[in-house]
Amino acid sequence: MTDAASPSPSQDFVREIVAADVATGRDGGRVVTRFPPEPNGYLHIGHAKAICLDFGIAEEFGGHCNLRFDDTNPVKEDVEYVDSIKEDVRWLGFEWGDREYYASDYYEQLYQFAEHLITLGLAYVDSLSADEMRASRGTLTTPGQDSPHRGRPVAENLDLFRRMRAGEFPDGAHVLRAKIDMASPNINMRDPVLYRIRHAEHHRTGTAWCIYPMYDYAHPLSDAIEGVTHSLCTLEYEDHRPLYDWAIASAGTAHRPRQTEFARLKLNYTVMSKRKLLQLVAQGHVQGWDDPRMPTISGLRRRGYTPESIRDFCARVGVAKKENVIDVGLLEHCVREDLNRRAPRAMAVLDPLKVVLTNYPEGGGESMDVVNNPEDPAAGTRRVPFSRELYIERDDFMEDPPKKFFRLAPGREVRLRNAYLITCQEAVKNADGEIVELRCTYDPATRGGDAPDGRKVKATLHWVSAASAVDGEVRLYDRLFSVEDPDSESGKRDVDITTLLNPSSLAVRAGCKLEPSLADAPAGHRVQFERLGYFCADPDTRPGAPVFNRTVSLKDTWARMTARGE
Ligand code: ATP
Ligand code: MG
């Protein structure tokens, strides 16, 4: 696709809001954003959209973006996740300098704000059980009921809250609630919980705290403490915005950040909820968070995606107020386009069938000069060994070909890429009738692949010289789920999401024959295997025993669909 398909980043509604604020001198024209992951899982492609927006806007408007870990739930969070998040944001190409913050760094300040709210009569300690609180919250059509503790005097609230902090009560005995309006049409405003008791060890603060702030309280105040000007989040927080504004106004902070919501990224054939991704990992349906089938940044990286292709994808998807599902074909298109420019070509045979050139000198051999990347002259050339015995792809031969099969068949001539024209004379079979070898002749006058007499062949095959081939493993991937929308499908059928996994999402091919230049490819090395797709050396790769993941095949379904106007 052309660049016309990528919207210019200046066009979306979030950038319009930021530009207008800068123009009117709001916050002195400063732009400060933040990316606020909760360290309870690995980042996924949806987070990449938020990262590109938060860091992108800061960059474009000469401001900065904080990396803030929203670590207010000690039970689910872990340093492993903190480390992976930092690695992934950096890999995507964004820097936060020394602005690495943690909501847990603000626990003392947040606590002081809470005491302040109590003093102002804007918060109270409630001692209802969770069930009682749920029952008195009301519904969308009926107002909630005031808690019997709503009228507690300030002094009693302060005393109880301090004793909550001091660890005098067990989990669930009390909570701190905002005193707003139990009849509000917005349920989020019906005296939401601000603090709960949790006797749990936190990955950063250890056992210093046994009360933890809720997201809806910690988030706006963390934004205010950091001087964030534009707090960008996904649509599900739209109904929480009045509470966001309430917290900031009530605490009376100097800075008044503003929240703006945008549609979250949805991709077909996968899930994006961290809870569900964690389930896939924990139950062993995938090999880890970085399994190349996962929509995680680390999975995409291991699969062979480039940061550039992911950023390009996010730019093309754009930012809007309305949710829609993006075809994973667009993501694949972006990486294909990027790798086409930069990945060197090589030859590998995944399902080898031996070819013997009967008229080629025994013990002879030669090297073919081969262009590394036709899209990039600077990539130079390499020498690829050629000899009497070769491997081609088993499905490039048919003994009894149908009409439209133009590749190798008995009596037929085809081109071996960058080498010679060969003609199949005989298919040798074993006792079971399986073809084990092709006996072919080559035309020495066609070196380089063209016949001096101008005769044409209908197919060009890739090949690897048997004598110098390196045995390797290749992993081919398909969609993780066999249905387009696993989330809604599992709900509709009332089944667990894992029953919708694609049973053939991974095919491991051992005993592949790779050209010798690939023998020692380091992990992360990206290459196009001619005719087969783009591949990337896996971290499991070893010198002399390469392991490659297929990033994407060469067939661009998305571009074809778009060309047909679908
Ligand atoms: P959780 O279910 O644990 O709340 P989350 O996906 O909201 O998960 P966070 O760590 O809270 O994860 O997300 C960090 C930021 O990334 C938030 O601002 C969130 O809005 C944004 N984000 C998360 N998922 C997506 C998505 N699919 N598309 C765009 N932004 C997203
Ligand atoms: Mg969240």
Side-chain angles (χ1 to χ4, degrees), residues 25 63 99 131 164 339 393 440:
R99 295 177 307 279
D131 284 342
M164 280 167 66
L339 291 177
E393 218 61 71
C440 303

Side-chain angles (χ1 to χ4, degrees), residues 95 138 157 160 162 190 277 316 408 412 428 551:
E95 255 313 320
N157 283 322
L160 282 171
R162 286 175 182 162
R190 294 184 188 168
L277 294 175
R316 287 173 193 238
L408 201 57
R412 189 176 293 166
V428 181
T551 310

Side-chain angles (χ1 to χ4, degrees), residues 446-461:
T446 59
R447 195 173 195 277
D450 288 311
D453 63 5
R455 72 181 187 276
K456 296 281 178 237
V457 292
K458 285 200 167 139
T460 300
L461 310 186

